[in-house]
């Protein structure tokens, strides 16, 4: 069954797994879970598979690594930046 979660709830999702965890195992476990972004969505398993890190020591470690592979759609409104206003 496919489930959907908001990006802000990914850490809670990761807490359901045992650590340390291999990237491949976590990616397989998360496959089919859709992460909802500010503008779009993606499969959590695919995102985890894109992480360069081979192993995660905790849910917090996995979330920190995930931040580096999130698409631009995950970050907020398109065309917006944290720069000059």
């Amino acid at each position: 069954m496919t489930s959907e979660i908001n990006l802000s709830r990914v850490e809670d999702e990761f807490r359901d797994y045992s650590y340390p965890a291999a990237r491949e195992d976590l990616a397989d476990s998360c496959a089919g879970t859709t992460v909802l972004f500010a503008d779009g969505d993606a499969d959590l398993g695919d995102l985890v598979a894109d992480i360069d890190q081979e192993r995660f020591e905790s849910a917090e470690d996995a979330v920190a690594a995930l931040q580096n592979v999130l698409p631009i759609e995950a970050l907020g409104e398109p065309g917006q930046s944290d720069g000059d206003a």
Side-chain angles (χ1 to χ4, degrees):
M1 176 195 274
T2 301
S3 62
E4 292 181 342
I5 59 171
N6 288 321
L7 180 58
S8 62
R9 301 285 182 214
V10 168
E11 188 169 344
D12 293 337
E13 178 79 10
F14 283 165
R15 289 181 197 273
D16 291 340
Y17 302 99
S18 298
Y19 293 91
R23 179 190 64 221
E24 185 176 317
D25 294 339
L26 188 60
D28 289 345
S29 296
C30 294
T33 298
T34 301
V35 180
L36 304 174
F37 303 134
D39 185 29
D41 58 52
D43 183 83
L44 183 56
D46 291 343
L47 291 172
V48 172
D50 288 343
I51 297 172
D52 289 335
Q53 191 171 323
E54 293 294 324
R55 175 176 133 137
F56 308 106
E57 299 301 322
S58 65
E60 295 82 6
D61 185 28
V63 169
L66 181 68
Q67 299 297 319
N68 293 320
V69 298
L70 291 175
I72 194 71
E73 294 84 15
L75 305 177
E77 293 184 37
Q80 301 295 315
S81 72
D82 290 335
D84 298 329

